[in-house]
Amino acid sequence: MTKPIATRDVYGETLAALGESNKDIVVLDADLSGSTKTSVFAKKFPERFFNMGVSEADMMGTAAGLATGGKIPFASTFAIFASGRAWEQVRQSIAYPKLNVKIVATHGGITVGEDGASHQAVEDIALMRVIPNMTVIVPCDGVETKSVIYEIVKYHGPVYVRVARGKFPVILPEDYKFTIGKGVVVRDGKDAAIIANGLMVSHALEAAAMLEKEGLDIRIINMSTIKPIDRNLIVKAAQETGVIIIAEEHSIIGGLGEAVAGVVAEEFPVPVKRVGIQDRFGQSGLAEELLVHYGLMPKDIAEAVRKAIKKK
Amino acid sequence: MESLISELMVRPAIESLKKWAKQLRVDVLMMLNKAKSGHTGGSLSAADIVTALYFYKMRHDPKNPKWEDRDRFILSKGHAAPIQYAALARCRYFSPRELLTLRRLGSILQGHPDMKCTPGIEVCTGSLGQGLSMANGMALALRLDRRSSRVYALLGDGEVEEGQVWEAAMSAAHYKLDNLCAIVDFNGFQIDGAVTDVMNIEPLSEKWKAFGWHVLMIDGHDMEQIMKALDDAENIKGRPTMIIARTVKGKGVSIFEGKYQYHGIPPSDEELKKSLEELGVSADGWPERVAL
């Protein structure tokens, strides 16, 4: 396993590299370019970088205007401000007219850590997923993040990507290629399927290793696109394993868990268990401490699998 | 001598523009009456400004709505959509017959402007406060592409109560968007009453000046003043221009003038009849052009 890397760092580097070959790419930030890593692009292409100051609503509207002029705007800030503060601008100015704006939000989830609840988006996926025309993606590691950024430039339309502050283990092979709307089986198994995204994919892998010692063979799906969701892969997992566990660093309300549960309930009902933040706000602490406190560790996922399998 | 020549050249243009403004007012009244819903007051107050933009100032081609070198117009006060639809129809972006479908299921004329449905509409507005940010983005894109097109945005006076307007005001000045000209349709009323009673926005001119804008104050129903302000704005370099246009809500029809109660109410059949009498026009044959 290679060194853990922050997906926001990969975002910054990839964006700067893309800016070289694609002159239509413009980047906006709301006074957080050092943290979101859009500063890398800003240094290279100052004429195509617009710092909008602390004004997320205006940033989203400006991005929409740039898109009508044929540009490919990337608008970045922390996930809670991109999805929460500017929600109606994203809905009205970007998603409703289906403009080609890429919102790449950093600092998703509780692994933001010390800054506490005000800066920890545990609702962003729900907020973005409910908007028509919106594509919602949470990459699981640095390799996937790079591929995601390349792929969303090829797609014409609004996209929300959540990346993270903390360093995640790299689990995908270097030649991995992301496709919008396609989940990937990262570990095959027949006794249960864990569908996860973001950091929870690597935690799910650790959980599967624990369960293997107990004789359980667990399938793991990296469901990086929450919308449009890969229905076929979910149905196949339900049919072949008979039980689905979903793990996400997000509220259990409105996120990947509900997206998957909806498909399972409609297409092939089997027992479902959601691992996520149980309708609570985050708080200050070290990322690792918070993951333990909110029950998002491999052992928590493993326990959820054991419980769910009993219901089979 | 020089002023006489320019007077002789400009006069006919002004007379013709006044006729267009009257036509657009008739269109607004007729289509709102047919639709049985929509915003009368703010559409009529903006009639002269919108006329000056579409029939005098803007570089645009109704046969090619996506022409890259066109000037852009954003109706940030999207509830006044009928006045823009009237202008677009008379410019022949689409057949005036479409005006009969306003607000109906499947119409190209949505209750509020929608770029996906209507030729000539640049963005989606209707949720107040968002148009100026989008105008800024367009102005930035045009500047990046070194195009000489200009961007015009029309805001309502009640609309400037939205915080985003002031974020955008800051951004436009910060990025020195001199290819942008915004106009406030200052008719003094919003849906709940007089702007001074609901949420005072004064001193408005000083606010925009303090935000770094070049500010012009005009009578928004004096065609000559509107034309001159739009011309002057083009010559201001290094900062955006704001034209604060004093207007009368419901302008042109006395039963609607200065009455906030008609902000979101269409003319009834009886009110329409009286309106047309006052304007001295017959609507026979509408949506074809009426004889003025």
Side-chain angles (χ1 to χ4, degrees):
Chain A
M1 198 177 275
T2 47
K3 233 174 65 180
I5 183 165
T7 46
R8 62 172 166 150
D9 284 319
V10 177
Y11 166 52
E13 289 156 21
T14 309
L15 193 57
L18 257 169
E20 200 84 61
S21 56
N22 192 330
K23 302 296 177 201
D24 286 332
I25 291 177
V26 295
V27 178
L28 303 94
D29 205 299
D31 193 37
L32 287 169
S33 63
S35 301
T36 64
K37 304 297 171 188
T38 59
S39 54
V40 187
F41 183 97
K43 260 192 211 107
K44 249 172 117 179
F45 309 104
E47 73 289 352
R48 284 191 274 144
F49 175 78
F50 303 104
N51 200 326
M52 304 310 295
V54 191
S55 60
E56 296 78 13
D58 183 44
M59 173 173 76
M60 293 305 177
T62 307
L66 281 156
T68 67
K71 304 297 168 198
I72 306 171
F74 275 74
S76 285
T77 179
F78 289 179
I80 192 59
F81 310 132
S83 66
R85 169 63 71 99
W87 187 85
E88 211 246 345
Q89 283 75 17
V90 172
R91 175 193 185 268
Q92 173 76 18
S93 298
I94 295 172
Y96 178 47
K98 212 176 178 194
L99 290 173
N100 198 20
V101 175
K102 316 302 175 189
I103 301 163
V104 181
T106 68
H107 295 63
I110 52 164
T111 46
V112 167
E114 297 88 328
D115 276 350
S118 63
H119 285 56
Q120 295 164 347
V122 297
E123 316 92 333
D124 58 324
I125 301 307
L127 287 167
M128 291 294 109
R129 182 178 156 245
V130 75
I131 303 176
N133 289 343
M134 188 59 86
T135 293
V136 182
I137 301 165
V138 182
C140 71
D141 69 1
V143 170
E144 183 162 48
T145 300
K146 185 175 176 181
S147 186
V148 164
I149 300 304
Y150 274 92
E151 288 308 306
I152 63 173
V153 170
K154 294 180 201 161
Y155 166 78
H156 189 96
V159 179
Y160 178 86
V161 181
R162 179 215 256 201
V163 293
R165 173 178 182 243
K167 290 182 164 55
F168 289 2
V170 176
I171 52 180
L172 294 168
E174 198 54 50
D175 62 353
Y176 166 82
K177 194 171 166 297
F178 165 81
T179 306
I180 294 176
K182 291 280 171 224
V184 172
V185 176
V186 289
R187 183 190 201 278
D188 209 359
K190 59 179 186 350
D191 296 327
I194 305 172
I195 300 179
N197 63 21
L199 177 62
M200 291 304 109
V201 179
S202 69
H203 283 198
L205 282 165
E206 286 184 47
M210 291 174 190
L211 294 164
E212 193 174 11
K213 289 176 192 146
E214 299 165 24
L216 291 169
D217 184 17
I218 309 297
R219 179 180 306 186
I220 294 173
I221 293 171
N222 170 28
M223 194 63 85
S224 38
T225 312
I226 296 105
K227 189 180 162 187
I229 194 94
D230 189 341
R231 297 180 78 91
N232 292 341
L233 199 61
I234 295 169
V235 173
K236 194 162 177 273
Q239 288 167 340
E240 292 173 4
T241 71
V243 58
I244 303 279
I245 297 88
I246 307 114
E248 59 187 323
E249 189 191 341
H250 184 274
S251 171
I252 55 159
I253 297 175
L256 176 69
E258 282 193 356
V260 171
V263 174
V264 173
E266 279 179 0
E267 306 281 351
F268 196 86
V270 297
V272 166
K273 181 82 188 152
R274 290 174 293 164
V275 177
I277 294 155
Q278 304 293 320
D279 194 19
R280 285 193 291 166
F281 286 108
Q283 60 182 300
S284 289
L286 296 173
E288 304 76 51
E289 292 172 335
L290 291 166
L291 287 166
V292 171
H293 184 83
Y294 286 92
L296 299 177
M297 295 301 285
K299 68 170 177 50
D300 301 307
I301 299 172
E303 189 51 32
V305 173
R306 287 183 204 107
K307 277 185 186 158
I309 284 178
K310 279 186 195 147
K311 289 189 181 169
K312 259 171 116 169
Chain B
M1 186 65 190
E2 201 176 278
S3 68
L4 179 67
I5 293 170
S6 75
E7 177 77 11
L8 286 171
M9 284 167 63
V10 169
R11 269 297 141 207
I14 291 177
E15 289 313 312
S16 155
L17 288 173
K18 283 180 178 167
K19 280 191 181 173
W20 277 119
K22 197 170 182 179
Q23 173 68 53
L24 300 194
R25 285 194 164 93
V26 172
D27 291 337
V28 164
L29 295 163
M30 291 296 293
M31 78 174 105
L32 286 177
N33 172 261
K34 295 264 176 283
K36 294 190 169 53
S37 79
H39 298 76
T40 305
S43 297
L44 293 175
S45 65
D48 300 298
I49 298 159
V50 170
T51 300
L53 284 165
Y54 277 96
F55 293 87
Y56 168 69
K57 190 69 216 173
M58 287 204 301
R59 182 168 72 186
H60 64 121
D61 179 3
K63 288 195 186 67
N64 185 10
K66 296 283 172 196
W67 178 37
E68 287 183 328
D69 286 317
R70 71 191 182 281
D71 290 337
R72 272 78 164 163
F73 174 66
I74 294 169
L75 185 67
S76 191
K77 48 171 286 185
H79 55 279
I83 191 66
Q84 190 179 11
Y85 293 158
L88 292 171
R90 295 303 162 197
C91 290
R92 293 280 168 174
Y93 277 85
F94 46 81
S95 162
R97 296 205 65 76
E98 298 288 350
L99 300 178
L100 290 160
T101 70
L102 174 71
R103 289 178 166 246
R104 298 256 170 85
L105 183 64
S107 172
I108 65 161
L109 305 180
Q110 294 289 296
H112 291 83
D114 186 335
M115 65 180 289
K116 302 186 307 303
C117 299
T118 319
I121 298 286
E122 301 284 357
V123 288
C124 293
T125 55
S127 170
L128 293 174
Q130 303 195 22
L132 193 57
S133 299
M134 293 188 263
N136 288 347
M138 284 183 190
L140 284 169
L142 289 167
R143 189 162 75 187
L144 281 172
D145 291 342
R146 295 191 165 71
R147 291 186 195 281
S148 62
S149 307
R150 291 179 61 73
V151 181
Y152 297 93
L154 181 62
L155 283 69
D157 48 2
E159 182 181 11
V160 305
E161 290 160 8
E162 286 279 6
Q164 190 187 345
V165 170
W166 301 100
E167 295 181 3
M170 251 186 287
S171 304
H174 180 80
Y175 284 106
K176 300 183 171 59
L177 297 178
D178 52 16
N179 53 351
L180 171 74
C181 174
I183 304 148
V184 169
D185 177 6
F186 199 171
N187 61 35
F189 290 96
Q190 54 194 112
I191 196 162
D192 264 358
V195 173
T196 45
D197 293 336
V198 177
M199 181 51 64
N200 189 22
I201 59 173
E202 293 282 18
L204 192 59
S205 157
E206 284 79 353
K207 281 193 178 78
W208 288 97
K209 279 180 194 156
F211 274 76
W213 288 56
H214 179 70
V215 179
L216 300 167
M217 306 277 283
I218 62 162
D219 174 346
H221 299 307
D222 181 323
M223 197 54 81
E224 208 165 338
Q225 285 191 38
I226 302 170
M227 294 160 76
K228 186 170 183 312
L230 292 171
D231 289 342
D232 288 350
E234 214 159 356
N235 296 319
I236 301 300
K237 298 296 166 207
R239 58 196 161 138
T241 296
M242 166 54 75
I243 299 172
I244 297 176
R246 267 282 172 196
T247 56
V248 174
K249 194 139 187 159
K251 175 73 180 179
V253 182
S254 55
I255 44 176
F256 305 132
E257 284 188 359
K259 297 208 180 69
Y260 71 86
Q261 293 86 344
Y262 284 98
H263 174 98
I265 304 290
S268 66
D269 291 349
E270 184 57 30
E271 287 163 343
L272 176 68
K273 194 166 156 267
K274 279 191 197 160
S275 306
L276 295 174
E277 273 168 24
E278 187 178 340
L279 289 165
V281 298
S282 151
D284 291 348
W286 190 87
E288 288 314 308
R289 267 190 83 176
V290 296
L292 298 169

